[in-house]
Amino acid sequence: MFENLAQQIATTFEPFIQLFTDPGPASFINFQFLPKYAPYFVDGVLNTLALSVAAVLLAVIPALVLALMRLSKNKLIHTISGAYIAVFRSTPLLVQLTIIYFGIFSSIIQVPRITVGFIRLNMFIPFVVALALNSSAYVAEIFRAGILAVDSGQTEAARSLGLSQWQAMKLVVLPQAIKNVLPALANEVVTMVKESSICSTYGMMELTWAARNVARTTTSVGPFVLVAAIYFCINFPASKAIEAIERRMRRGDKR
């Protein structure tokens, strides 16, 4: 009875099992390409991390300015920042990337075709700018929420001590707001690691580009499985580290 049941189970799942056990060219575990194409994936990891970190860091200052503009009582300033955030949050990143790469950086700004280490500047700079402009719209809302989360009584107390509105914002509100938004900013880096894969559409040598090009030569899904594992190994530990930071910060607040 049990032998028949085991045989039926094996027969049912045989096609699925073969995906992982069949040494054929389409196998999930066919990584015979790796010794030859390993440099592609090494460069892909480096470019992916460089794109992600540079984009978020470049987005922080404009995002903080946009957040303060959104909180301004001046209607014109408030409207300008709101329009920027609405445009970049309501249009696809690929469309923004296309306009910036083929429009601004092909017709208006010319970046030299220079390679610095593993970075090709003529591709890296336009893509970082595009990702940063997109990210700044989201980070601006993170900063705005962090500023609004600070008790308004602290601003009033700072003003009663003789500080101007700007001094109260700079010395009292912003330090607390930045502390509040640090986990969210770290999450934005994790998100950007995945979002940077869209740059492969125009030939940026990041992880997804490496998988697509190696897959064409091997007719295997193995490169995509490897890249998925690499993304997981980057993002999962980062997410756990962010959770640990959040718990640590909450303990500090309770004291």
Side-chain angles (χ1 to χ4, degrees), residues 154-224:
Q154 299 198 35
T155 303
E156 295 172 1
R159 293 301 303 277
S160 68
L161 292 174
L163 297 180
S164 67
Q165 184 72 30
W166 169 242
Q167 287 175 327
M169 177 65 69
K170 182 177 69 173
L171 300 175
V172 178
V173 177
L174 281 181
Q176 297 179 69
I178 290 173
K179 177 186 174 183
N180 292 337
V181 304
L182 278 177
L185 285 178
N187 275 318
E188 183 65 17
V189 176
V190 172
T191 300
M192 191 55 65
V193 170
K194 296 178 289 184
E195 292 289 341
S196 65
S197 63
I198 202 168
C199 297
S200 65
T201 306
Y202 296 123
M204 183 68 190
M205 294 177 62
E206 47 77 63
L207 277 171
T208 304
W209 179 92
R212 288 170 59 184
N213 282 270
V214 173
R216 289 193 189 107
T217 62
T218 61
T219 63
S220 168
V221 294
F224 289 100

Side-chain angles (χ1 to χ4, degrees), residues 110 119 121 180 232 242 249:
Q110 299 293 328
I119 295 175
L121 291 183
N180 292 337
F232 180 83
I242 293 167
M249 291 173 66

Side-chain angles (χ1 to χ4, degrees), residues 66-67 70 80-90 136-138 140-141:
L66 285 168
R70 284 278 283 168
I80 291 172
S81 62
Y84 177 95
I85 292 171
V87 168
F88 278 90
R89 293 182 67 183
S90 304
S136 64
Y138 293 90
E141 290 297 280

Side-chain angles (χ1 to χ4, degrees), residues 55-79:
V56 173
L57 291 178
L58 191 61
V60 167
I61 299 302
L64 183 56
V65 173
L66 285 168
L68 294 175
M69 290 173 67
R70 284 278 283 168
L71 295 170
S72 173
K73 295 179 180 179
N74 186 301
K75 289 186 178 180
L76 177 61
I77 294 176
H78 180 87
T79 302

